[in-house]
Amino acid sequence: MSEVYTFIEAEKSTHNVALLCRLLKVARSSFYAWLAGEKTRRAKQAADDTLAHEITVLHPRTPS
């Protein structure tokens, strides 16, 4: 579903959001809820990336 919302986000400057949602059969409120959660998703991804980096620094791979 995220791909649909990403498409709507990309096309909203050239087409009406209500029209895009209707054509793609998604609720407009769902699109706006997804859009509002984007900041949270990016923050979580950044935190996950930081943690993954810290893990690789603390636990280097041992040679086989």
Side-chain angles (χ1 to χ4, degrees):
M1 189 57 73
S2 181
E3 297 86 17
V4 173
Y5 297 143
T6 302
F7 176 78
I8 294 170
E9 172 67 15
E11 295 298 320
K12 74 179 187 177
S13 62
T14 56
H15 301 290
N16 183 287
V17 171
L19 173 65
L20 290 168
C21 289
R22 188 169 56 246
L23 291 173
L24 297 170
K25 299 181 189 316
V26 296
R28 197 170 30 160
S29 60
S30 296
F31 166 70
Y32 286 117
W34 173 84
L35 196 58
E38 182 66 18
K39 183 177 179 182
T40 302
R41 284 189 298 280
R42 286 186 186 183
K44 183 179 181 331
Q45 184 61 51
D48 289 350
D49 292 346
T50 300
L51 179 60
H53 176 71
E54 289 178 13
I55 290 169
T56 58
V57 168
L58 293 173
H59 299 285
R61 292 184 181 183
T62 57
S64 306

